[in-house]
């Protein structure tokens, strides 16, 4: 199991849909490209910015409900790729697991400031080092801009097994 973090959110220009890239924080620095919905992209952007709206959007509301119920979220896991669809689990401190879309799980993890993890098997299967950021770069903002431009040109099917 590897800790991952959000590297970038871009636009798949071929499909006109958001593309989320999460990558390992250490190790091989492999990344997973995830096609996500517009609502989830917005929720992830809001969570990354720490924005708190007067009336909570869905992911913020779910985070508040989890807190109120007293069973804390431990972390989220991106667990598998089946039929070209990524799967994830919400993992609670009681070892309760609830299946979720990766984009929802990531948005919730960001809202609750909990770790995001990916299985080694999944990273071995479809992880790529083609789009990871070099932490030693003198100008990380320029690298992020270049990275987002490259994201706009990739096809998520390029990362499918087989």
């Amino acid at each position: 199991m590897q800790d991952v973090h959000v590297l970038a959110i871009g636009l798949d220009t071929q499909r006109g849909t958001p593309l989320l890239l999460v990558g390992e924080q250490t190790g091989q620095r492999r990344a997973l490209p995830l096609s996500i919905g517009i609502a989830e992209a917005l929720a992830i952007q809001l969570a990354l910015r720490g924005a708190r709206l007067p009336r909570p959007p869905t992911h913020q509301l779910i985070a508040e409900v989890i807190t109120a119920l007293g069973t804390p979220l431990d972390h989220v896991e991106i667990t598998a790729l089946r039929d070209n669809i990524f799967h994830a689990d919400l993992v609670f401190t009681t070892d309760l697991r609830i299946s979720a879309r990766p984009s929802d799980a990531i948005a919730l993890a960001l809202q609750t400031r909990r770790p995001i993890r990916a299985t080694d098997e999944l990273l071995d299967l479809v992880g790529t080092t083609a789009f990871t950021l070099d932490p030693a770069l003198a100008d990380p903002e320029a690298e992020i801009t270049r990275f987002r431009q490259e994201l706009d040109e990739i096809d998520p099917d390029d990362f499918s097994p087989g």
Side-chain angles (χ1 to χ4, degrees):
M1 193 70 54
Q2 299 295 321
D3 284 345
V4 297
H5 64 282
V6 174
L7 294 173
I9 297 178
L11 183 65
D12 177 349
T13 55
Q14 293 177 349
R15 296 186 177 143
T17 59
L19 188 66
L20 173 66
L21 195 72
V22 297
E24 288 179 288
Q25 295 176 324
T26 59
Q28 298 176 43
R29 302 186 88 66
R30 296 167 291 184
L32 298 173
L34 307 167
S35 184
I36 63 175
I38 292 170
E40 292 77 16
L42 178 59
I44 290 168
Q45 286 284 14
L46 288 172
L48 285 170
R49 292 182 182 142
R52 303 291 291 178
L53 302 177
R55 293 184 49 89
T58 303
H59 296 92
Q60 186 178 335
L61 175 64
I62 291 171
E64 291 175 13
V65 168
I66 289 170
T67 299
L69 292 175
T71 303
L73 181 66
D74 186 66
H75 65 278
V76 302
E77 289 178 16
I78 306 169
T79 58
L81 178 69
R82 292 188 293 273
D83 299 322
N84 290 327
I85 298 170
F86 284 96
H87 295 262
D89 286 339
L90 306 177
V91 182
F92 294 85
T93 56
T94 59
D95 289 329
L96 171 68
R97 287 179 168 267
I98 298 176
S99 180
R101 295 183 303 180
S103 55
D104 290 328
I106 291 167
L108 191 55
L110 293 170
Q111 279 290 338
T112 57
R113 294 184 172 89
R114 302 308 308 150
I116 303 166
R117 298 185 176 137
T119 65
D120 289 309
E121 296 81 14
L122 182 61
L123 288 163
D124 289 342
L125 180 66
V126 293
T128 178
T129 57
F131 299 104
T132 55
L133 300 176
D134 182 349
L137 288 172
D139 186 3
E141 290 300 319
E143 183 67 5
I144 290 169
T145 299
R146 180 197 63 78
F147 177 71
R148 286 186 174 153
Q149 289 170 342
E150 289 180 10
L151 272 178
D152 288 343
E153 297 173 9
I154 67 170
D155 182 351
D157 292 334
D158 293 343
F159 300 100
S160 299

